[in-house]
Amino acid sequence: MNIMLFHSTYGLRPAVRAAADRLRAAGHEVWTPDLFEGRTFETVEEGMTFNDGIGKEELLRRAVLAAAPYSERGLVYAGFSLGASIAQTLALGDEKALGLLLLHGTSDIAESASVDELPVQLHVAEPDPFETDDWLSAWYLQMQRAGADVEIYRYAGAGHLYTDPDLPDYDEEAAEATWRVALGFLDSL
């Protein structure tokens, strides 16, 4: 499977590279574009400030440019938190998208979004301050209306970015469970 994996608001950190290596070891081809052009951050607040300075449109432009050379092959879009929201936007706009793997995040869905049974898998903490229960319920219904085939996995007590071993949110048990399920999802595509 060809996977375009987008980083979180912390930037392209070691955890993203390690995730890409894990996916490669499972037989997938993975690209990890650096949307922040080498910048990484120690706190979510620093990353969000930098992200706000770039702007959503510019981040999406960078993501589209990164994916464009590979999209004809059919991509699975994936991402962590902010990167998941970017992956979701690209997948919903790419008629050749093969799947969408969301780790720790979602995004708004355009009313006009329409896909043909796009397989979508979301992994998120429970509770998650960025992905509230009400938001996730509405998101799920909108994704279904758009035509996606959605699975949601919640991890009680885990922090927001629980798959990153370098952050306080890290939860080894939840992270390993996420990777087991996510790898099975990718193998099914």
Side-chain angles (χ1 to χ4, degrees):
M1 201 57 51
N2 297 308
I3 302 170
M4 186 65 53
L5 180 63
F6 295 104
H7 61 75
S8 75
T9 196
Y10 286 94
L12 186 56
R13 296 164 36 93
V16 179
R17 290 187 176 95
D21 289 343
R22 183 185 290 238
L23 294 168
R24 288 182 188 110
H28 304 289
E29 190 164 356
V30 184
W31 296 274
T32 55
D34 186 349
L35 303 180
F36 288 178
E37 299 174 334
R39 298 284 308 269
T40 59
F41 301 96
E42 295 300 315
T43 70
V44 70
E45 293 80 14
E46 290 171 348
M48 290 173 84
T49 298
F50 182 77
N51 174 35
D52 290 345
I54 292 172
K56 184 176 182 176
E57 294 305 315
E58 175 61 17
L59 276 180
L60 285 174
R61 186 190 72 76
R62 292 177 185 185
V64 167
L65 288 174
Y70 311 103
S71 62
E72 281 298 314
R73 302 179 188 190
L75 288 171
V76 172
Y77 291 92
F80 297 94
S81 193
L82 167 70
S85 70
I86 291 168
Q88 177 185 304
T89 301
L90 268 60
L92 292 178
D94 181 353
E95 63 186 30
K96 293 185 186 237
L98 300 176
L100 177 59
L101 177 60
L102 303 171
L103 302 162
H104 321 295
T106 61
S107 183
D108 294 330
I109 302 165
E111 287 292 323
S112 61
S114 178
V115 293
D116 188 16
E117 297 181 14
L118 179 71
V120 178
Q121 193 174 84
L122 168 64
H123 297 266
V124 66
E126 182 178 26
D128 187 312
F130 300 104
E131 303 289 326
T132 65
D133 290 343
D134 289 346
W135 168 263
L136 287 174
S137 293
W139 175 86
Y140 177 79
L141 293 173
Q142 288 177 304
M143 286 296 277
Q144 283 196 315
R145 272 195 294 273
D149 181 13
V150 182
E151 299 175 352
I152 299 177
Y153 294 86
R154 305 287 307 269
Y155 299 87
H160 173 66
L161 260 170
Y162 64 83
T163 59
D164 188 330
D166 296 325
L167 294 177
D169 287 350
Y170 182 61
D171 183 313
E172 183 177 9
E173 184 178 331
E176 288 307 313
T178 294
W179 286 115
R180 273 192 307 277
V181 173
L183 288 169
F185 171 71
L186 293 169
D187 287 344
S188 75
L189 300 178

